[in-house]
Amino acid sequence: MTYQKTQTAPADAPRREILTENGILTLRLTGVWRKDRPFPDIQPVLAALAATPPPKALRFDTAGVAGWDSLFLTQCRAILALAGERRVDVDLSGLPDGTASLLELAQKVPERQGAARKTSHAPFLERMGDLGLGLYQATGNLLEFVGEMTLACLALARGKAVFQRSGLVALMYQASIEALPIVSLISLLVGLILAFVGAIQLSQFGAQIYVSTIVGIAMVRVMGAIMTGIIMAGRTGAAYAAELGTMQVNEEIDALRTFGFSPTQFLVLPRMIALVVMMPLLCIYADLMGILGGFIVGVLMLNINPVQYLTHTWQSVPLANFWIGLVHSTVFGVLVAMAGCYRGMRCGRSALAVGQATTSAVVTSILAIIIATAIITVACNIIGV
Amino acid sequence: MDASQNSAPAAPTAETPAIRVENLTMSYGDFVIMRDLDFTVQRGDIFIIMGGSGCGKSTLLRVLVGLKEPAAGRVVYREGSLWDAEPEKRDQILRRTGILYQSGALFSSMTLAENISLPLSQYTRLSRKDIRELASLKLALVGLAGFEDFYPSEISGGMCKRAGLARAMALDPDILFFDEPSAGLDPVSAHLLDELILELRESLGATFVVVTHELASIFAIGNNSVFLNVDTRTMTASGDPKELLAHSTDPNLRHFLTRGQE
């Protein structure tokens, strides 16, 4: 098949002649007036209508029109609007069957005053003010959520929290076993990378054995926790936001509320528990996988004796680092669950809002993880561990 | 509110009404949706809240069932005023109600039987077996016998609605609220749902509050109603919809009840 662009317009292209007779403007239209053909410029018609004195009447002669669609109607509408403004008498009878009635239909309900959105740009100060007010409101919302969460935790402590035990088990399973493959892969690779980077420097001094220390301390103290935190933010935090957001859209949260269940206790609390319990366990697992990664590099590439590598790791990583890692991961568990559930619970009632909730859940949790790491690191430095 | 006083409820009784709405005003921020609503739902009524799209029918329902706080006014149930009550008391009042949401709003992570069992296991001391049997019974009542272990995503929209109705009836409520029961249903299913509502009223003796703009349903099941006017943002009439059609002179209401013919 060959495509040819012909310079000459096809025979049935839309054409327009403007005839003026005794002050009566007649538009003689021929051809097929459809979207796929270029329409003649509308300007001459508008110019003829805008001329002074304006024409007495406007008529259409469309005997030669072989076809039309809604684009033709928009042209007619523009012409009629100007004709109406210029108080020109319009005779619609010349238009093809159906066009006149469609045009009347479009004019039947007048445009609602103030319904069309103004796209004006707000002045700088107004935008700053809006931003400030939005921040103020967001802070209030967040504090309210933290408060609700605290009350729910207190209810839990008193054994009065209402949620489904079976649901909690499923959530724990999702936040642990199902996350193992990706946590394994990423931690192993991070351990491997750390070992490689360290090995290049250390082998210059013949101190390859210290690769085990670098990998061990880095993974156990902070990297294991951060990697699991970020994986869970993308995996589970996003899932929580999407799940709760969809429940919001689907009126499920309203339904819970009207049954007298507190959504915070019923939905948020079990998710929080699942992550806070499972994150430290995942973190320990990630530590081990990271050390395994370093082990592979140390043994296979640097020819360190396997037993020596492991004993050195065991001896050179202080136990305090292990606890610091666990503190990190517990805090991350709280943060990821809070961010995911907060965004989900405050989700609007549309598909768009669910997408936004999910995105901001992930962004918020990753940001919170990094900030929390910084704070914990400085705090550890101050108390000297 | 002349209209509300003219139309006496179908069965006048000396006892307190099921719901009394007094001078209720609802708003989103500064934007007032409806003001000065004032009507009474008698026990055993099938009370229709009608009006054009966007007039605040669903918002009114949310206020009645404790999901949205009104800007002013009171909603008084037999047990007391809803919004003046402490949260615990409010929950207690609302436990006597059941709601069928527009989309069914079944908990998507649970089977139909679990959906219905949830309030039962929370608020009763029944055994697992009894709860399971009650759930089966409620499902059978709405024509879904045998669907106990299906998830909401596995059944059709109409079936979801009926399952939602079964869940709303779980605690044998005195008052059942329906948000657009016939929306998204084919005419036959919508008619069957109307029949079901009438039958349930007969057998349960419950009060029904139905938000709808479906004229066929309004005339088929309603014996009392309130019309919310989207232009004036107030209620313009209340009474039996058939009476309103026969006698009302309000042009907006006539327009609505006659599908824009008058």
Side-chain angles (χ1 to χ4, degrees), chain B residues 85 166 191 202 212 219:
Chain B
H191 175 70
E202 282 296 303
T212 186
F219 293 124

Side-chain angles (χ1 to χ4, degrees), chain B residues 60-71:
Chain B
L60 174 57
L61 189 76
R62 287 175 66 81
V63 172
L64 292 183
V65 302
L67 286 172
K68 181 177 163 49
E69 199 165 349

Side-chain angles (χ1 to χ4, degrees), chain B residues 27-75:
Chain B
S27 66
Y28 281 112
D30 293 335
F31 179 68
V32 174
I33 304 159
M34 275 287 147
R35 67 167 65 87
D36 304 327
L37 300 182
D38 208 290
F39 56 84
T40 305
V41 180
Q42 301 292 350
R43 291 186 73 192
D45 267 359
I46 296 186
F47 190 93
I48 312 275
I49 298 172
M50 55 187 176
S53 302
C55 72
K57 299 189 295 289
S58 295
T59 310
L60 174 57
L61 189 76
R62 287 175 66 81
V63 172
L64 292 183
V65 302
L67 286 172
K68 181 177 163 49
E69 199 165 349
R74 308 205 305 157
V75 177

Side-chain angles (χ1 to χ4, degrees), chain A residues 58-229:
Chain A
L58 174 65
R59 279 191 195 144
F60 293 91
D61 172 8
T62 55
V65 170
W68 55 273
D69 66 6
S70 46
L71 190 63
F72 175 64
L73 288 182
T74 61
Q75 276 229 347
C76 295
R77 227 171 147 221
I79 294 170
L80 292 185
L82 188 65
E85 221 172 88
R86 304 279 298 168
R87 300 184 183 287
V88 179
D89 220 15
V90 183
D91 179 13
L92 289 177
S93 59
L95 283 171
D97 286 346
T99 355
S101 54
L102 281 175
L103 285 170
E104 268 165 31
L105 192 65
Q107 257 154 5
K108 203 167 169 187
V109 180
E111 191 176 341
R112 198 196 285 190
Q113 289 301 312
R117 289 274 160 85
K118 289 188 191 74
T119 50
S120 73
H121 216 60
F124 177 72
L125 277 178
E126 190 181 324
R127 273 181 291 151
M128 292 310 285
D130 280 346
L131 195 70
L133 284 176
L135 268 178
Y136 175 73
Q137 231 170 17
T139 317
N141 266 335
L142 183 65
L143 286 179
E144 193 188 328
F145 181 74
V146 173
E148 278 170 20
M149 221 28 249
T150 315
L151 287 179
C153 288
L154 286 178
L156 179 71
R158 287 187 293 147
K160 285 192 172 171
V162 178
F163 58 85
Q164 278 194 308
R165 305 291 185 272
S166 59
L168 178 61
V169 174
L171 286 168
M172 284 185 154
Y173 182 82
Q174 280 166 17
S176 55
I177 312 281
E178 286 182 9
L180 282 182
I182 181 141
V183 171
S184 315
L185 180 68
I186 290 188
S187 315
L188 189 78
L189 291 180
V190 168
L192 225 91
I193 294 164
L194 283 172
F196 262 116
V197 175
I200 296 164
Q201 306 301 320
L202 290 170
S203 53
Q204 289 175 0
F205 309 104
Q208 292 94 324
I209 185 66
Y210 286 100
V211 164
S212 66
T213 314
I214 290 185
V215 174
I217 291 186
M219 284 310 298
V220 171
R221 189 178 174 111
V222 65
M223 286 310 278
I226 291 195
M227 289 334 282
T228 43

Side-chain angles (χ1 to χ4, degrees), chain A residues 162-164 247 249-261 266 349, chain B residues 62 65 67 91 99 101-103 105-108 110 118-119 122-123 167 179:
Chain A
V162 178
F163 58 85
Q164 278 194 308
M247 290 179 81
V249 174
N250 201 15
E251 300 178 302
E252 284 177 48
I253 291 184
D254 284 348
L256 267 183
R257 228 175 240 138
T258 44
F259 273 129
F261 293 99
F266 199 87
R349 287 178 185 266
Chain B
R62 287 175 66 81
V65 302
L67 286 172
D91 280 351
I99 301 143
Y101 291 86
Q102 195 163 350
S103 55
L106 296 170
F107 305 122
S108 40
M110 304 179 199
L118 183 65
Q122 179 61 29
Y123 296 118
R167 189 183 62 181
D179 190 5

Side-chain angles (χ1 to χ4, degrees), chain A residues 220-307:
Chain A
V220 171
R221 189 178 174 111
V222 65
M223 286 310 278
I226 291 195
M227 289 334 282
T228 43
I230 289 180
I231 293 167
M232 294 314 271
R235 216 185 150 272
T236 310
Y240 288 174
E243 226 172 279
L244 298 185
T246 313
M247 290 179 81
Q248 190 77 264
V249 174
N250 201 15
E251 300 178 302
E252 284 177 48
I253 291 184
D254 284 348
L256 267 183
R257 228 175 240 138
T258 44
F259 273 129
F261 293 99
S262 148
T264 320
Q265 283 180 21
F266 199 87
L267 298 172
V268 180
L269 197 60
R271 285 173 168 76
M272 177 77 101
I273 298 172
L275 268 190
V276 171
V277 172
M278 287 308 167
M279 279 283 255
L281 298 183
L282 275 181
C283 172
I284 296 173
Y285 178 75
D287 294 348
L288 294 177
M289 290 313 277
I291 291 173
L292 178 65
F295 179 81
I296 293 170
V297 173
V299 171
L300 295 185
M301 209 184 87
L302 305 173
N303 298 319
I304 301 171
N305 179 305
V307 180

